[in-house]
Amino acid sequence: MRQRKVKKKKKRIIGVIFAVIAIGISCFALVIQNDKDEEEKESKITYDDLRDKAVKEDEFGTGELTIDWEVLKDCNVVGWIKMGKYIDYPIVQGEDNKYYLRHSYDGSYNGNGSIFMNCNNNSDFMDLNTIIYGHNMRSKDNMFGSIKTMLDESEKNPIKFYIYTPDGCKHTYDIYSIDKVKDLGYAYKTHFDSLENFEDYKDEMKNNSEIDYKIKKNDSKTVMLSTCNSYGSASGNRVVVLGQESEVKQIQEPASWYQKKIYIEVSNKEAVCLKGNNYYYIIQDDKAIRCVKSAVDKILVDSKETVIVRVECEETEEAYQYNDISGEIYAYPIFDIINYEIE
């Protein structure tokens, strides 16, 4: 009889312990959620204040936006993205892809992070495919929280997005596909061995798209917006929106701090190489890129497929003169190489 009472007492004690643990876990989860809510509020206030200072609407009521880049001159800002009603943020770029997951555009700590460019991309959107990351927040008016609603065709969703850059340009992107993918899978390519490989990439993205946007493929560059899937994000499930560039236009003066870079995109199917007295000259788009033989072999890739190499150059005051077999003289401005990479 005494043993039964002891067993019942033990069961009550164990029950109380489990109840206390459950209450503790609930309280801890509530504290964490409150912290997240507080961070989300802080993030919203921060970016609302920034928009008030940096985003200017056209005075004629056309809806065209301009960015006051001087407000952002001390930040690692490479652009500003606008998509639909909710996505309206500066784009930053760090030395890695971790820092801005937990830091605001100005470097202050915030769990909501920032909208940021892949650290391996060229900061001026010159790569064939540029990747932009943002958190999938519970609220669709925060970060990339609205992307999840784009999977629902019954919603009135945007079909374009816009990126404003410090050189004063506005880039328009037609939404090409929306895909459910794995983190770091095929969708996350930024560089391609050839234009044919880039075209294959677009085909694969379109074939796997959840929605057919009926946008025709061309050779324009793309920007991919990446966020966590609401289901299985810890397992690497992501939702990505691919936009194909359809227009670039100058809408304002460049930022005072913007340092313009000169690029020449060299195609192994179009460029020709001419030998001078001391250097070789790669002729592309009526420009002469001055280089040594070892650079020629790397820039003019020997391949049956079309390979584009983006060459960052510095313009000189010199010109390369070439006499063709008919005696006609051509003069090409000379550019010296700073850096180059296969797109």
Side-chain angles (χ1 to χ4, degrees), residues 136-337:
N136 175 19
M137 308 304 295
R138 287 188 306 159
S139 172
K140 64 182 180 181
D141 65 349
N142 198 356
M143 296 298 160
F144 278 177
S146 63
I147 285 182
K148 57 179 170 282
T149 65
M150 294 174 64
L151 292 166
D152 184 357
E153 291 189 76
S154 65
E155 295 276 344
K156 187 177 180 181
N157 291 309
I159 57 173
K160 296 177 184 289
F161 61 87
Y162 308 93
I163 291 178
Y164 302 81
T165 47
D167 61 354
C169 288
K170 174 187 177 184
H171 301 248
T172 301
Y173 297 87
D174 296 326
I175 296 178
Y176 186 79
S177 67
I178 181 168
D179 303 66
K180 294 179 181 179
V181 301
K182 283 290 186 181
D183 188 23
L184 304 180
Y186 74 90
Y188 289 85
K189 295 185 71 173
T190 56
H191 295 86
F192 303 83
D193 295 332
S194 66
L195 283 180
E196 286 79 3
N197 286 346
F198 181 48
E199 290 176 1
D200 291 342
Y201 169 80
K202 284 188 176 182
D203 287 339
E204 189 166 8
M205 294 295 286
K206 191 166 191 175
N207 291 338
N208 292 320
S209 181
E210 299 292 320
I211 297 171
D212 182 6
Y213 287 96
K214 303 187 185 305
I215 298 298
K216 291 183 178 180
K217 179 183 68 176
N218 56 36
D219 58 0
S220 296
K221 296 176 174 63
T222 57
V223 166
M224 189 182 82
L225 313 181
S226 172
T227 193
C228 290
N229 194 322
S230 298
Y231 305 98
S233 62
S235 302
N237 292 342
R238 302 290 183 263
V239 177
V240 296
V241 173
L242 189 70
Q244 181 174 259
E245 190 175 75
S246 58
E247 183 183 36
V248 181
K249 67 177 181 178
Q250 190 87 27
I251 61 169
Q252 63 182 105
E253 291 296 316
S256 64
W257 46 265
Y258 174 72
Q259 294 182 332
K260 183 178 181 179
K261 296 179 181 180
I262 299 174
Y263 294 101
I264 301 174
E265 295 186 332
V266 178
S267 166
N268 64 335
K269 301 298 183 186
E270 299 175 2
V272 296
C273 183
L274 303 174
K275 190 176 186 307
N277 293 330
N278 300 310
Y279 296 96
Y280 289 84
Y281 295 88
I282 297 174
I283 311 299
Q284 175 79 52
D285 301 331
D286 294 327
K287 300 179 180 70
I289 303 171
R290 179 163 53 192
C291 53
V292 296
K293 182 65 169 67
S294 59
V296 173
D297 295 336
K298 293 177 181 178
I299 294 173
L300 288 179
V301 179
D302 184 12
S303 173
K304 293 181 180 179
E305 296 184 321
T306 304
V307 178
I308 303 296
V309 176
R310 185 178 62 247
V311 182
E312 183 182 351
C313 302
E314 182 179 25
E315 188 171 7
T316 72
E317 296 181 354
E318 304 169 67
Y320 172 66
Q321 289 192 342
Y322 170 70
N323 294 5
D324 69 8
I325 56 176
S326 67
E328 189 168 353
I329 300 174
Y330 295 88
Y332 302 104
I334 293 176
F335 293 77
D336 285 332
I337 295 174

Side-chain angles (χ1 to χ4, degrees), residues 3 13 15 26 38 62 76 82 96 109 118 123 132-133 137 153 219 236 238 240 295 302 314 318 333 339:
Q3 286 180 343
I13 292 172
S26 298
E38 192 61 33
T62 64
N76 296 322
K82 173 74 174 170
D96 56 43
Y109 181 84
N118 187 304
S123 62
I132 308 295
Y133 301 96
M137 308 304 295
E153 291 189 76
D219 58 0
R238 302 290 183 263
V240 296
D302 184 12
E314 182 179 25
E318 304 169 67
N339 196 9

Side-chain angles (χ1 to χ4, degrees), residues 83-100:
M83 182 169 76
K85 181 180 178 181
Y86 301 111
I87 296 177
D88 189 9
Y89 291 96
I91 305 168
V92 291
Q93 185 180 38
E95 295 180 357
D96 56 43
N97 290 330
K98 294 181 179 179
Y99 181 79
Y100 283 110

